[in-house]
Amino acid sequence: MQSILEAGKNCWRVAHAGRAAFIIDGEDYFAAVRRALLLARRSIFIIGWDLHSELRLVREGRSDDYPSTLGKLLDALASERRDLEIYILNWDFAMIYAMEREFFPSYKLQWKSHERVHFCLDGEHPVGGSQHQKLVVVDDSLAFAGGLDLSKWRWDTRAHQVDDPRRTDPDGEHYPPFHDVQMVVDGDAAAALAELARERWSAAGGEAAPLKPASGEAPWPAGIRPDLHNAMIGIARTLPAHGGREEVREVEQLYLDAIGAARRFIYIENQYLSSHLVGQALKRRLREEGGPEVIIVMPRETGGWLEQHTMDVLRARLLRELEDSDRLRVYYVRLSEDPPVALMIHAKVMVVDDRFVRVGSSNLSNRSMGLDSECDLAFDGGEESGRHGDIAAFRQSLLAEHLGVEPAELDAAERQHTSLIAAVESLRGGERTLEPLATEVPDEVDQWVPESKLIDPEQPVEPEQLLDYVVGPRQQKNAWRHFLRVGLLLAAVLGMAALWRWTPLSEWLDADRVSAAAQWIEASRFAPLLVLVAYVVGGLLVMPITLIIVATVTVFGPWQGILYSLLGAELSALVTFGLGHLLGRDAVRRLAGSRVNSVSRLLASRGALTIITLRIVPVAPFTVINVIAGVSDIRLRDFAIGNLVGMIPGVLAIAFLADRIVAYLREPTLPGIAILFVAVAVVALGLFGLRHWIRARRSGG
């Protein structure tokens, strides 16, 4: 029988592992990772969708003096072992997950840790995509891969007790039972995953980390019994097209090939089920005469409200197309009937005929096939019956855990019945058991949830494509103009009406009063200090820098105003730059949103020149750029010089205009207004020409 695994088609490589094991649930996995980290001598790579520096890797029974929390453990190891380099890569996550993530991970894992603990946020993915691989690699000779992140809400025992007091997050909050699966491999398979981890690290902007070939026997964590020996492990990836890189869809192809090769049964554990191609492949096999049985174990409900009203709806739509087959069963795990408690299934597992097994990070969703970065491990036992027994033992262990029975009971039931579905059905019914998953969705919910290509895309979707989907291209141009005009008109009318109706503005806005106020400020001996403080406070409050410059020039006149404006803007920029450095990248990204990645990359690439450009051709407000610069790789000297030089054209232009406006207010004559209009035109054309020249220079170089 031909192997399902084909390097270059449905997997990146097929590499040898002297030992491989399946690790079920967080208690065993986190303990195994900790023991593996303690064996590290040269390098540690941690690649994740999420991680938490205060994750407790073990909850009890620690027999050494090393810390139990992840961040402190890594710091202790780096301090103790002079040759050890530690690299941590975390997805530069979307704002929607901000409340679920650790605050200040870059501060805790980069600034607060040892200098050989390197931390990087991965933003090198298309719009809407994520870094979803979950890898831990030790000394390039031992590697873990699967569905588990080193993060909160992941630790649980195989017992999945409803009220386990140890199942708490770093904040001490209790969370529901959680199930997942990971694999660990050594040998060439681990070396290949080490190469993959380095590729991801480099793509995200991390410094070079050369491979360090293993010497001597590869480390293996105590307490983990190998399930496979001398196994050829397939490594399948999803990598979206991005930044000149071609897309890789090995994960998707391996799913399709494994489903197509099934003869007796397909067993699946997965968090989602919305992939159109996978759904169609299952549908074809279920309609075949004498085709395989399909058992799918999923969560009763996914995540929070948003996922339940999007991904669960897509799952229900797909399952409606499959439910007419008597060879399909879709279950969730019930842990308790009163109170009703279901197990969160986060695993990504597939077993085919007990000859093929895969464990990885990929969900059965469209985005895992082409939008997110993924990494799955797979093994095909072929015709070797002994290998089938190893895979069967793993599958039976999973099913027995979910059914609340011993593996031996499940094995006996399988021998007694002619089908796997019949064996499972014969054991259902206890307090802890597999229950049929309800797929009904209220019509009103189903109607307002859009189609999958919008909320679960198969490939990167550019903002323009999303706009085209929501608003047709023909209508966009006229619609934007219309709404912009109406919005500006309404804002202007309402703003002026409010100012004149509810403020003393009408009494104060005359030339004499403005002139008197300006003279009072100018005469104060604290004027220079007050101006500088005003710029700093204005920067911290994210006030438009243009308005502050106008006020400065109005009060102090053009020449003194220009000097104060440049000094104030420079001081404000340095203070907010320092604030960004203090807050760290995660906090800044929460404040500045999606601008962080693009602006940070610009700042790191050309230093002072980029700052000059961003001052003349702003892509974000003054303060936002300063704060982002504080967490980028730009040097303080380059930032200070670039800010000062870049502010000069704008300050000069604003000073010229403000001076002409004040002159007109003092003498509102027809020649005065003519001069004002000429001044506005000259400044506008000058700035437009300068920005056009800079854009041309940047695009050409």
Side-chain angles (χ1 to χ4, degrees):
M1 184 182 296
Q2 183 179 359
S3 174
I4 295 174
L5 297 171
E6 293 186 49
K9 180 193 175 190
N10 57 29
C11 59
W12 175 46
R13 292 183 188 173
V14 180
H16 178 266
R19 293 167 289 187
F22 307 105
I23 306 178
I24 302 174
D25 292 321
E27 180 185 35
D28 290 344
Y29 173 57
F30 291 159
V33 165
R34 185 175 182 275
R35 289 191 290 267
L37 296 179
L38 294 178
L39 298 173
R41 293 296 179 268
R42 300 182 307 279
S43 65
I44 294 171
F45 273 85
I46 298 175
I47 310 292
W49 181 81
D50 184 27
L51 59 89
H52 203 295
S53 66
E54 297 179 13
L55 168 70
R56 288 181 295 149
L57 293 169
V58 290
R59 307 292 160 114
E60 57 189 8
R62 182 161 55 95
S63 59
D64 54 60
D65 295 328
Y66 288 97
S68 61
T69 57
L70 177 63
K72 291 181 179 179
L73 175 62
L74 296 175
D75 192 48
L77 293 175
S79 301
E80 177 184 273
R81 302 169 190 182
R82 296 179 58 185
D83 296 330
L84 180 62
E85 300 283 347
I86 300 174
Y87 304 90
I88 306 169
L89 182 73
N90 192 26
W91 174 40
D92 193 358
F93 54 89
M95 284 297 293
I96 193 172
Y97 295 103
M99 298 306 295
E100 301 178 12
R101 299 295 184 111
E102 178 181 18
F103 202 56
F104 289 164
S106 60
Y107 170 72
K108 295 179 179 179
L109 291 170
Q110 179 73 49
W111 297 352
K112 198 176 177 181
S113 296
H114 193 277
E115 62 181 4
R116 281 184 276 104
V117 176
H118 313 283
F119 181 79
C120 182
L121 283 170
D122 188 347
E124 288 300 316
H125 46 71
V127 175
S130 74
Q131 196 305 108
H132 202 243
Q133 298 169 343
K134 297 104 175 0
L135 305 172
V136 175
V137 183
V138 176
D139 286 347
D140 298 338
S141 56
L142 181 75
F144 301 84
L148 276 160
D149 283 299
L150 299 181
S151 184
K152 64 178 184 178
W153 304 341
R154 302 291 191 263
W155 186 95
D156 201 3
T157 70
R158 297 196 66 177
H160 300 303
Q161 298 174 17
V162 174
D163 296 315
D164 192 331
R166 298 167 297 173
R167 197 172 57 242
T168 57
D169 64 21
D171 297 323
E173 299 294 328
H174 191 269
Y175 57 90
F178 189 91
H179 168 73
D180 212 330
V181 179
Q182 204 86 348
M183 277 191 75
V184 55
V185 296
D186 65 7
D188 294 340
L193 289 172
E195 184 178 336
L196 186 63
R198 280 170 168 78
E199 288 181 1
R200 193 70 218 174
W201 175 263
S202 298
E207 67 274 18
L211 279 166
K212 299 181 179 180
S215 57
E217 185 178 357
W220 188 263
I224 298 297
R225 180 184 62 83
D227 295 297
L228 302 170
H229 293 272
N230 296 319
M232 299 303 295
I233 304 296
I235 303 172
R237 308 162 300 166
T238 295
L239 295 173
H242 180 68
R245 179 190 64 209
E246 294 185 2
E247 73 170 356
V248 175
R249 302 181 74 102
E250 296 157 356
V251 160
E252 179 181 72
Q253 191 59 51
L254 186 57
Y255 274 123
L256 300 179
D257 291 346
I259 293 171
R263 296 294 176 264
R264 296 185 295 117
F265 68 84
I266 301 170
Y267 174 74
I268 294 172
E269 290 186 7
N270 211 279
Q271 182 181 4
Y272 300 124
L273 182 60
S274 57
S275 167
H276 173 73
L277 287 178
V278 171
Q280 292 303 307
L282 290 172
K283 185 176 181 179
R284 286 192 296 270
R285 297 311 312 276
L286 289 170
R287 289 185 174 182
E288 285 182 15
E289 187 70 28
E293 295 181 324
V294 178
I295 294 179
I296 306 176
V297 180
M298 307 189 71
R300 182 179 61 190
E301 296 174 335
T302 57
W305 182 92
L306 181 61
E307 286 181 311
Q308 293 169 19
H309 286 75
T310 52
M311 298 304 291
D312 286 5
V313 173
L314 299 182
R315 176 179 72 180
R317 291 174 183 171
L318 192 151
L319 287 175
R320 280 200 295 265
E321 299 183 41
L322 306 179
E323 279 185 333
D324 58 351
S325 174
D326 59 1
R327 298 202 311 275
L328 170 69
R329 294 293 185 276
V330 183
Y331 300 111
Y332 74 91
V333 181
R334 187 185 73 195
L335 297 176
S336 170
E337 192 170 10
D338 187 20
V341 178
L343 180 63
M344 176 58 193
I345 300 295
H346 194 263
K348 300 93 169 59
V349 172
M350 174 181 279
V351 178
V352 174
D353 295 341
D354 286 341
R355 63 160 283 197
F356 172 86
V357 58
R358 73 184 288 167
V359 173
S361 66
S362 67
N363 290 304
L364 291 178
S365 60
N366 289 319
R367 63 182 303 120
S368 280
M369 305 303 157
L371 181 58
D372 295 340
S373 62
E374 306 284 4
C375 178
D376 291 6
L377 302 185
F379 171 71
D380 186 356
E383 298 181 359
E384 298 183 47
S385 58
R387 302 285 190 167
H388 294 192
D390 296 331
I391 298 174
F394 166 62
R395 175 189 56 77
Q396 289 177 341
S397 179
L398 290 171
L399 268 172
E401 175 182 319
H402 299 330
L403 286 164
V405 301
E406 293 298 321
E409 295 180 65
L410 177 60
D411 183 63
E414 289 182 22
R415 296 178 186 276
Q416 179 181 354
H417 295 86
T418 58
S419 76
L420 181 59
I421 287 178
V424 170
E425 287 292 321
S426 71
L427 296 174
R428 287 201 315 107
E431 176 76 2
R432 174 172 174 170
T433 190
L434 288 171
E435 283 287 296
L437 179 69
T439 59
E440 296 83 8
V441 174
D443 290 340
E444 61 273 14
V445 175
D446 196 4
Q447 289 173 3
W448 65 256
V449 173
E451 55 188 287
S452 62
K453 71 177 182 180
L454 189 62
I455 58 177
D456 181 29
E458 298 182 35
Q459 57 189 10
V461 179
E462 295 301 324
E464 293 80 3
Q465 294 176 282
L466 182 61
L467 184 61
D468 288 345
Y469 180 86
V470 177
V471 182
R474 287 186 176 181
Q475 291 77 30
Q476 287 171 19
K477 189 173 182 179
N478 291 332
W480 280 116
R481 288 179 176 176
H482 174 72
F483 284 120
L484 181 61
R485 288 171 180 169
V486 172
L488 290 175
L489 180 61
L490 285 175
V493 172
L494 292 176
M496 290 302 297
L499 287 172
W500 285 95
R501 175 64 179 84
W502 289 296
T503 73
L505 189 64
S506 58
E507 301 176 7
W508 282 92
L509 277 185
D510 62 75
D512 292 337
R513 288 185 179 272
V514 171
S515 178
Q519 290 175 7
W520 179 85
I521 296 174
E522 186 179 8
S524 173
R525 61 178 177 174
F526 299 109
L529 179 61
L530 291 174
V531 171
L532 296 179
V533 170
Y535 273 86
V536 172
V537 172
L540 294 174
L541 296 177
V542 201
M543 293 177 62
I545 191 69
T546 303
L547 295 181
I548 307 177
I549 295 172
V550 168
T552 305
V553 173
T554 301
V555 172
F556 296 98
W559 302 114
Q560 196 174 357
I562 289 172
L563 177 62
Y564 282 155
S565 295
L566 289 175
L567 290 176
E570 184 74 0
L571 181 60
S572 178
L574 293 175
V575 169
T576 46
F577 176 93
L579 177 64
H581 190 69
L582 178 64
L583 289 175
R585 186 179 179 88
D586 291 327
V588 171
R589 196 188 43 70
R590 288 185 176 93
L591 297 173
S594 60
R595 297 187 182 98
V596 170
N597 285 332
S598 58
V599 176
S600 182
R601 283 193 292 270
L602 286 171
L603 293 172
S605 62
R606 296 191 180 184
L609 179 60
T610 299
I611 286 293
I612 294 171
T613 305
L614 292 175
R615 291 304 180 221
I616 298 173
V617 189
V619 299
F622 177 80
T623 300
V624 172
I625 291 175
N626 301 336
V627 173
I628 295 175
V631 294
S632 74
D633 294 328
I634 189 173
R635 291 182 297 179
L636 177 60
R637 185 192 66 183
D638 291 343
F639 173 79
I641 294 173
N643 179 75
L644 184 60
V645 174
M647 290 298 299
I648 290 174
V651 170
L652 291 176
I654 294 170
F656 178 57
L657 278 181
D659 182 62
R660 289 300 86 209
I661 292 172
V662 171
Y664 171 72
L665 289 175
R666 288 173 178 167
E667 191 176 351
T669 63
L670 189 59
I673 196 171
I675 294 173
L676 178 60
F677 274 113
V678 171
V680 170
V682 169
V683 170
L685 289 174
L687 289 177
F688 176 79
L690 184 58
R691 293 180 180 185
H692 179 75
W693 178 78
I694 288 177
R695 285 194 176 110
R697 294 277 295 177
R698 287 184 61 83
S699 62

